[in-house]
Amino acid sequence: MNDTEMNGVTEMNGIAEMNGTAEMNGQREEVKMNGDAHSPTHDIFDGLNGLSGLNGLNGLDGSDRVATLEKRVQKQEDEILVLQSALRDILRRLQEMESSHNKSSLISPNSTVHMSNGKRTTVTTMPPRNRRSTGPPIRVTNSTSPRSSNGSDSVYAPSTPSQRDSSRLTPDPPSRRKASTPQQQQQTPTLTKWASNITVSSGDSQPSLSSKEAAYNTEEGVLRIYIKGRALHFYAPTNFDHAAIHTNPLSKQRLKLEWVYGYRGKDCRSNVHFLPTGEIVYFLASTVVLYNPDEQTQRHYLGHTDDVKCLAVHPDRITIATGQAAGHDRREGRAHVRVWSSVNLNTLRIIGIGSFERAIGCLTFSKTDGGSLLAVVDESNEHTLSVWSWERGQRVGEPARNVADPVLAADFHPMDDNVIVTCGKNHLFFWNLEATGTLTKKVAIFEKHDKPKYVLCFAFAFNGDVVTGDSNGNILVWPRGTFKVAQCIANAHDGGIFSLCVLKDGTLLSGGGKDRRIVAWDMAYQRTGLEAELRETVGPVRTLSQGKGSMILVGTTRNCIMQGTLDLNFSPLVQGHTDELWGLAVHPHQLQFVTCGFDSHLYLWDVLSRTAVRCMDVGEQSQCVTYHPNGDLIAIGTTKGKWLLMDMVEQKVIMEENAGSEIISCIEFSPDGRLLAVASHDNAIYVYQGDEASHRYSRLGRCQGHTSFVTHLDWSEDSTFLQSNSGDHELLFWNGAQLRQVPDASSMRDTRWATQHCTLSFRSSGVWPDGADGTDVNTCDAHGDILASGDDFGKVNLFHYPAAQPKSPCYSYPGHSSHVTCVRFLHDGARLISVGGKDTAVMQWSIVS
């Protein structure tokens, strides 16, 4: 080694030694800094920032200067923390590189050897995950990649060495290798690194490893991963098999979607239809549900990649067309239409990828020609109407781009060839498809009648009349072949008319929004005297449809599907939440679970009967929920800093308590039920102690130390310790009874945890994909040897547990269209429940081998 190299090594040794002390002190001072302490590093940066801005403060007095400088320092605090973290990481890497030059080789399985200066370095790499794959039936993808078009599960698995590019890492010739002594091998820790990309230049240079790669030290049992540039260190259990870090297998179990709870009626129309098979077809999230109420079974079409917004049934009553909104997938995530068979759920045609913007608003098949044409209205600024020959997948002519206002409904005329009717805001249009493919428009003339702001719905009478319902509560009749009003039924409803439906016997049904009434009209548009009013709890009418026999199907704006007749009461077939959904807890002994969300409702669901057993209004927007170990009590965390204790036997709230004034992000009972941990967005964990006789909980105190809001909690099996994650990607440990932080994380490596809800821990570190920004994975839960997670891309992922290998392989399942906010296994481990955020969907998955 020449003099220059010696100087470089000496300098690195000095930096590394200094770094060891500075880093430990920095960690201690950062904990103090969470209070009112101020670190020396901040003083240095504050001084520099203050000096750099003095020229602009000459015109201010002393107090204003101080205030201005304090604001600048506060704004730059995030940048300072990032710089400090980067500096510490650089110093650590210099120390590792110096150690690799002066000691023996770093050994890891499935690795490539590189020689430099007589020293041997072994590096294990993982290439970037494949974004798409062409081989059916399972695509190779990561946990955030687009879902498969046919709804099957996707799988990501790291490539084997034989699959990697052999030219990426080339070992030096044997003549240049220098064997290490046994003593050196014993003293040298084994360090395994997972890299997305490694570049090796010719000659003796070392591999250029990014500072953001995951690495595992087998001697110390420490796993290091990076989330949004922050290094996180997790300690493996003492008896952990280090070889498992390289060979984490795929789970032996799979998930199968068993049931979907809920329906999307809040903002979608004409989306409940009865099929000849006895099934009712409707949609929620990215799933189309075919529900047979007689047999109590469901089938699911899972071809969509994001929110399904509309649905149309072909005249053959077998073929279905559904349109979706734009989503995550770069190609298939764009707005498009899928035509599929309701018999075998196979996709027949995908239409319009790249032709539509935002979402598909309306769909309709042609009637007079056997359904060869499909009219599509997208939700672009122009609300374009286009006609497609769906069997060929080709558009007929040019789309009509002059529909300026939102379109709420569209349908082909059942008697007149190539006539399409559309309605919406400030318009009712009659379109004619010419032989050349051109769409010509005729505007409806209201004459002496008040033109409504919205024409909300229309239907075709048996004689070909067009009957419309509007926001004024009027029913207007437009005779076949004309564009003028022939008859007006004023004030048919109090408020807007949301749906019209012509039954098989010619009876016209109208459904009101504000008054929630369903009224029957004869073929002369006179009242028959039959009408019904829906309960306020189920909401106004959204859509009406002919059901089985004389039954009527009603979709409501509160996401319920009702069935009944005007002579008898309507009963719910489907119920669901109406606003963003976050809370989920499973019963500790029974096959039941509860959900809660921003609609202030708590639902108790039964897994076997697949129905809502109970629905209760808790009066507060809810964020989280948990069961007491005895199964009789539940605790609910709200968005306003309050938590509620509810007796599920008596169905009443028995206690209310404030834990700060911000969102309660998670809440957990200890396994023995004596303690309750309540985590808040004020960065604290409040701990309460309960009295078994009175079922009252009194506050012991709070655990403070997080620098951001707490996101996840786990109790130890002995009800002594807590582990918690936060919004800035920390993993901290606490003595729950003493309300003290455990500063030595390595001392908790052998603690057995009752749950696995923390997404950032040694056993769950593998759920994080490449390039994760810290918010991609929202939730996880484990049972036995499987771990499930939910992400921001609408997927439920299944891993082998523990998932300690960085970027662990997993199966990914579509169904949700919004961020999956919570997943939980039932107590017997036979099923998994997942809830979506804004899609309001609750999904029940069975575990299959």
Side-chain angles (χ1 to χ4, degrees):
M1 185 179 295
N2 56 36
D3 293 340
T4 302
E5 292 174 334
M6 287 291 294
N7 292 336
V9 172
T10 304
E11 184 177 354
M12 284 192 294
N13 287 331
I15 293 174
E17 292 173 0
M18 291 174 62
N19 177 51
T21 303
E23 185 174 351
M24 287 187 293
N25 291 337
Q27 288 178 350
R28 286 196 295 268
E29 289 171 359
E30 283 181 7
V31 174
K32 292 178 182 178
M33 238 164 40
N34 296 335
D36 296 327
H38 199 68
S39 71
T41 310
H42 275 274
D43 292 334
I44 295 172
F45 278 92
D46 291 349
L48 293 175
N49 292 334
L51 289 173
S52 64
L54 286 177
N55 293 334
L57 304 175
N58 292 333
L60 303 176
D61 58 22
S63 60
D64 290 339
R65 288 188 181 188
V66 173
T68 303
L69 288 173
E70 287 178 347
K71 290 180 181 179
R72 291 183 180 181
V73 171
Q74 187 174 5
K75 291 179 180 179
Q76 294 174 353
E77 185 177 0
D78 289 341
E79 297 182 11
I80 293 170
L81 291 174
V82 171
L83 289 172
Q84 288 177 329
S85 177
L87 179 60
R88 292 174 189 152
D89 185 70
I90 291 172
L91 294 175
R92 277 195 300 269
R93 294 198 60 75
L94 287 173
Q95 186 179 21
E96 292 172 3
M97 292 177 64
E98 189 272 339
S99 176
S100 68
H101 276 76
N102 292 279
K103 294 182 179 182
S104 62
S105 63
L106 302 176
I107 304 171
S108 64
N110 298 330
S111 57
T112 304
V113 179
H114 182 85
M115 301 297 300
S116 178
N117 297 330
K119 305 295 181 182
R120 185 175 64 179
T121 301
T122 307
V123 179
T124 298
T125 66
M126 293 182 70
R129 302 185 183 188
N130 296 330
R131 295 296 177 188
R132 297 186 61 83
S133 176
T134 57
I138 298 179
R139 295 188 303 145
V140 178
T141 178
N142 65 8
S143 61
T144 61
S145 65
R147 66 199 71 180
S148 58
S149 60
N150 61 2
S152 62
D153 53 335
S154 303
V155 56
Y156 164 71
S159 59
T160 61
S162 62
Q163 294 172 319
R164 300 171 184 162
D165 186 355
S166 59
S167 65
R168 301 287 286 175
L169 290 175
T170 305
D172 284 340
S175 60
R176 300 189 59 185
R177 300 181 185 175
K178 181 179 179 179
S180 57
T181 65
Q183 182 179 3
Q184 287 177 322
Q185 291 179 353
Q186 292 175 359
Q187 295 175 350
T188 304
T190 301
L191 184 67
T192 302
K193 298 185 178 182
W194 289 262
S196 293
N197 291 288
I198 295 183
T199 304
V200 179
S201 58
S202 59
D204 298 335
S205 60
Q206 290 281 359
S208 175
L209 294 174
S210 167
S211 63
K212 307 304 180 187
E213 300 158 8
Y216 180 70
N217 188 310
T218 57
E219 183 176 274
E220 298 180 3
V222 179
L223 174 66
R224 182 187 67 203
I225 68 172
Y226 288 86
I227 300 292
K228 205 175 181 179
R230 178 172 184 167
L232 305 176
H233 296 83
F234 303 132
Y235 292 88
T238 304
N239 59 355
F240 180 72
D241 181 7
H242 299 304
I245 203 75
H246 314 289
T247 59
N248 194 34
L250 280 165
S251 170
K252 296 179 180 179
Q253 286 79 29
R254 303 283 189 93
L255 294 181
K256 181 180 180 181
L257 184 57
E258 186 175 79
W259 204 263
V260 176
Y261 300 91
Y263 153 74
R264 184 167 182 168
K266 183 178 180 180
D267 57 356
C268 294
R269 304 164 186 270
S270 302
N271 59 351
V272 178
H273 297 272
F274 184 78
L275 302 179
T277 57
E279 295 171 310
I280 301 169
V281 59
Y282 58 93
F283 55 77
L284 178 65
S286 65
T287 304
V288 186
V289 181
L290 295 95
Y291 169 45
N292 190 318
D294 294 333
E295 300 178 3
Q296 198 62 14
T297 59
Q298 280 188 0
R299 296 186 297 142
H300 309 97
Y301 177 74
L302 298 170
H304 284 284
T305 59
D306 211 271
D307 283 295
V308 181
K309 297 295 293 290
C310 55
L311 180 151
V313 179
H314 193 274
D316 64 11
R317 310 298 295 170
I318 294 176
T319 306
I320 311 290
T322 45
Q324 76 162 60
H328 308 291
D329 192 327
R330 187 170 297 178
R331 179 178 182 271
E332 293 183 359
R334 291 182 285 182
H336 66 273
V337 178
R338 288 177 176 264
V339 183
W340 48 279
S341 170
S342 63
V343 176
N344 53 23
L345 304 182
N346 288 338
T347 302
L348 305 176
R349 185 68 63 182
I350 300 176
I351 296 172
I353 292 181
S355 300
F356 306 116
E357 299 179 28
R358 297 181 186 170
I360 308 299
C362 302
L363 287 173
T364 177
F365 284 100
S366 57
K367 309 296 192 300
T368 59
D369 61 354
S372 64
L373 299 179
L374 181 68
V376 183
V377 179
D378 70 9
E379 293 185 355
S380 64
N381 292 333
E382 296 83 10
H383 302 281
T384 304
L385 170 66
S386 58
V387 180
W388 298 73
S389 174
W390 68 266
E391 291 176 303
R392 297 198 304 267
Q394 298 177 354
R395 189 171 58 202
V396 178
E398 291 299 317
R401 300 183 181 276
N402 58 346
V403 185
D405 294 312
V407 179
L408 301 180
D411 201 0
F412 274 93
H413 199 288
M415 298 180 180
D416 297 335
D417 293 342
N418 300 329
V419 173
I420 305 170
V421 182
T422 63
C423 71
K425 184 178 181 180
N426 295 321
H427 78 272
L428 174 66
F429 294 154
F430 298 85
W431 302 84
N432 187 59
L433 180 64
E434 307 289 349
T436 59
T438 304
L439 284 166
T440 58
K441 178 178 64 178
K442 297 292 184 181
V443 181
I445 302 173
F446 288 85
E447 293 182 327
K448 61 182 180 180
H449 304 283
D450 292 337
K451 184 176 181 180
K453 185 176 181 179
Y454 285 91
V455 179
L456 296 172
C457 58
F458 67 87
F460 296 104
F462 276 11
N463 61 2
D465 291 349
V466 177
V467 184
T468 62
D470 58 43
S471 55
N472 295 334
N474 300 331
I475 295 177
L476 303 179
V477 181
W478 311 75
R480 178 183 178 186
T482 66
F483 314 114
K484 296 181 180 181
V485 178
Q487 186 175 347
C488 174
I489 306 173
N491 301 318
H493 285 269
D494 182 13
I497 300 173
F498 282 7
S499 182
L500 292 170
C501 174
V502 177
L503 301 180
K504 292 182 291 187
D505 60 2
T507 301
L508 174 69
L509 297 180
S510 60
K514 183 178 179 180
D515 60 14
R516 306 189 309 279
R517 290 188 302 132
I518 303 172
V519 181
W521 310 82
D522 61 22
M523 299 181 71
Y525 310 111
Q526 301 297 317
R527 290 178 183 267
T528 65
L530 293 176
E531 64 176 71
E533 182 177 345
L534 299 180
R535 301 191 309 271
E536 185 177 358
T537 55
V538 302
V541 176
R542 173 60 77 193
T543 184
L544 296 168
S545 180
Q546 174 77 63
K548 183 178 182 180
S550 61
M551 290 291 181
I552 302 169
L553 297 175
V554 185
T556 74
T557 60
R558 292 193 178 178
N559 294 349
C560 296
I561 298 178
M562 313 293 290
Q563 179 179 257
T565 65
L566 298 181
D567 298 324
L568 304 174
N569 292 329
F570 284 84
S571 59
L573 288 178
V574 178
Q575 293 176 270
H577 287 273
T578 59
D579 208 340
E580 194 163 344
L581 187 56
W582 283 86
L584 167 65
V586 297
H587 197 285
H589 313 301
Q590 300 177 13
L591 297 179
Q592 293 180 340
F593 62 94
V594 292
T595 57
C596 60
F598 290 178
D599 59 2
S600 303
H601 283 84
L602 177 80
Y603 276 92
L604 172 64
W605 307 92
D606 185 79
V607 170
L608 298 181
S609 64
R610 298 162 181 171
T611 57
V613 177
R614 197 174 302 148
C615 177
M616 293 165 281
D617 189 349
V618 299
E620 299 273 355
Q621 288 190 337
S622 305
Q623 182 76 24
C624 53
V625 63
T626 185
Y627 262 101
H628 189 277
N630 66 15
D632 294 335
L633 303 176
I634 63 169
I636 305 169
T638 71
T639 60
K640 295 183 179 179
K642 181 190 295 184
W643 65 270
L644 314 173
L645 188 65
M646 178 175 285
D647 189 321
M648 294 299 288
V649 178
E650 299 183 4
Q651 302 180 35
K652 66 178 183 179
V653 176
I654 60 176
M655 180 180 173
E656 295 184 7
E657 182 77 16
N658 287 319
S661 59
E662 299 190 40
I663 297 173
I664 304 299
S665 52
C666 50
I667 187 168
E668 296 288 344
F669 283 103
S670 61
D672 61 9
R674 293 186 304 105
L675 300 176
L676 174 67
V678 181
S680 171
H681 270 223
D682 65 5
N683 306 350
I685 302 173
Y686 298 83
V687 181
Y688 296 80
Q689 186 172 23
D691 179 78
E692 293 185 8
S694 63
H695 289 165
R696 305 287 296 182
Y697 280 77
S698 57
R699 184 191 294 186
L700 291 179
R702 59 181 179 176
C703 302
Q704 290 183 294
H706 277 295
T707 55
S708 184
F709 58 92
V710 184
T711 58
H712 303 90
L713 284 176
D714 289 304
W715 280 99
S716 62
E717 290 184 355
D718 60 5
S719 301
T720 301
F721 297 102
L722 282 165
Q723 67 175 355
S724 57
N725 292 154
S726 61
D728 58 353
H729 327 308
E730 284 183 317
L731 172 64
L732 298 185
F733 300 94
W734 316 85
N735 187 308
Q738 299 178 2
L739 307 176
R740 293 181 180 178
Q741 182 180 346
V742 180
D744 184 8
S746 63
S747 66
M748 304 297 294
R749 67 195 319 158
D750 292 322
T751 304
R752 298 178 65 88
W753 300 101
T755 57
Q756 181 60 70
H757 297 162
C758 284
T759 58
L760 290 169
S761 69
F762 178 79
R763 293 173 175 84
S764 61
S765 57
V767 305
W768 293 91
D770 278 330
D773 66 357
T775 64
D776 295 327
V777 180
N778 303 310
T779 177
C780 71
D781 192 31
H783 189 281
D785 61 351
I786 52 177
L787 173 72
S789 73
D791 60 32
D792 265 358
F793 305 94
K795 288 185 179 175
V796 176
N797 307 299
L798 196 66
F799 299 82
H800 181 271
Y801 183 72
Q805 180 188 32
K807 300 169 286 187
S808 292
C810 69
Y811 295 106
S812 293
Y813 298 88
H816 290 282
S817 60
S818 179
H819 47 292
V820 180
T821 53
C822 195
V823 295
R824 292 291 184 267
F825 288 97
L826 293 180
H827 74 91
D828 62 355
R831 292 177 178 86
L832 175 77
I833 309 298
S834 64
V835 296
K838 292 185 178 180
D839 65 23
T840 71
V842 180
M843 297 192 178
Q844 178 176 310
W845 309 79
S846 60
I847 312 297
V848 296
S849 299

